[in-house]
Amino acid sequence: QAQLVESGGGSVQAGGSLRLSCTASGYIYSSNCVAWFRQAPGKEREGVAAIRSDGRTTYADSVKGRFTISKDNAKNTLALQMNSLKPEDTAMYYCAAEPSLWVGCGELNAKSFGTWGQGTQVTVSS
């Protein structure tokens, strides 16, 4: 099974920026749907952004206008550019891929994804 590896997390002050990356040999390119999720302590995992193989993107309302999801097929890399970070963005961030997901990609339903990375921590201080 493909393994996804996230990187780029860290600690920043509110208003700052971070760029997360997710790599997996061949898997990012071949999957119909790849996405970012996050999970804060004591909370359920929530969808942040998704991108379909045709380039269609979906964002959670809480991150619209601040986060940008992108995919580089040549480098098999999924990225999440996070700007204007807020303390409520603090969470473990995970990338996920599902080769067969198409219509439901934008629903950001964690149960629809079968392959996950180990996560990277993002901490935003006020």
Side-chain angles (χ1 to χ4, degrees):
Q1 187 176 5
Q3 190 171 14
L4 305 179
V5 180
E6 303 96 334
S7 61
S11 298
V12 296
Q13 290 189 331
S17 299
L18 282 173
R19 184 176 179 86
L20 305 183
S21 294
C22 174
T23 59
S25 179
Y27 212 65
I28 301 297
Y29 172 77
S30 63
S31 292
N32 278 337
C33 182
V34 286
W36 288 98
F37 288 80
R38 67 186 181 186
Q39 188 167 19
K43 295 187 177 181
E44 292 188 357
R45 190 167 297 191
E46 63 172 347
V48 175
I51 184 167
R52 211 165 63 177
S53 57
D54 63 353
R56 181 172 182 170
T57 58
T58 304
Y59 295 92
D61 288 343
S62 58
V63 305
K64 281 181 181 176
R66 300 188 297 122
F67 290 11
T68 302
I69 189 171
S70 61
K71 186 172 69 164
D72 186 331
N73 289 331
K75 297 182 179 180
N76 287 308
T77 300
L78 177 70
L80 185 69
Q81 178 65 43
M82 306 186 295
N83 298 327
S84 302
L85 282 162
K86 303 176 181 180
E88 50 264 44
D89 294 319
T90 295
M92 185 72 79
Y93 283 70
Y94 301 88
C95 66
E98 181 52 55
S100 61
L101 189 60
W102 183 255
V103 173
C105 184
E107 295 177 1
L108 291 173
N109 185 344
K111 294 181 180 180
S112 298
F113 291 81
T115 302
W116 294 83
Q118 82 290 347
T120 185
Q121 178 68 37
V122 172
T123 303
V124 184
S125 58
S126 58

